[in-house]
Amino acid sequence: MDVWHWTSLVALLCYAGLKSIPDAYYQGPPRSTAPSRWAVFTAIQLPKMNRVLLIAVLLRFMDSFMIYTEPFVVTGGGPGKLDDLRFHRTRQDRARPVRSRQGRSIVAGL
């Protein structure tokens, strides 16, 4: 689900980063051969886009904490406790004094 959710934003950020590089960086001294695309990418584009790529990585990192809400929204709560995460279930079991032994056994299993 994350792939189709965030690919367009990262692609848009990379495109904007590429378009923000001034043309003067691409113009160099006259040569008999033009530099390869790989040389242009590694020498000009990648170093100039490092901040844009850092922003994209930070946005994805912050969004990775949304692991709790997306399954709940997609499944609508799921049937029974199928969408509960293991440590979330452990915390719920530990909150009940009646089932504290089962909660301790789950924690010991982690």
Side-chain angles (χ1 to χ4, degrees):
M1 186 166 134
D2 267 355
V3 172
W4 66 266
H5 196 173
W6 287 99
T7 303
S8 59
L9 176 68
V10 173
L12 187 63
L13 284 172
C14 290
Y15 180 72
L18 285 173
K19 286 298 185 181
S20 69
I21 299 173
D23 290 334
Y25 285 103
Y26 296 106
Q27 299 170 354
R31 298 181 187 175
S32 61
T33 61
S36 67
R37 289 185 181 213
W38 180 253
V40 170
F41 177 72
T42 58
I44 298 171
Q45 293 174 340
L46 193 59
K48 295 295 177 189
M49 288 184 50
N50 63 359
R51 291 187 180 153
V52 173
L53 295 174
L54 178 67
I55 289 171
V57 168
L58 286 176
L59 283 173
R60 291 294 298 130
F61 176 71
M62 289 186 297
D63 184 61
S64 68
F65 292 109
M66 298 285 287
I67 191 171
Y68 306 109
T69 57
E70 284 186 3
F72 185 79
V73 169
V74 170
T75 62
K81 292 185 176 184
L82 291 180
D83 64 340
D84 285 351
L85 299 171
R86 186 174 186 181
F87 56 88
H88 183 256
R89 200 172 333 128
T90 302
R91 189 185 72 211
Q92 287 177 340
D93 289 344
R94 291 290 292 154
R96 297 185 201 132
V98 176
R99 299 181 70 185
S100 66
R101 289 184 184 172
Q102 182 183 2
R104 278 185 285 208
S105 63
I106 292 174
V107 170
L110 290 177

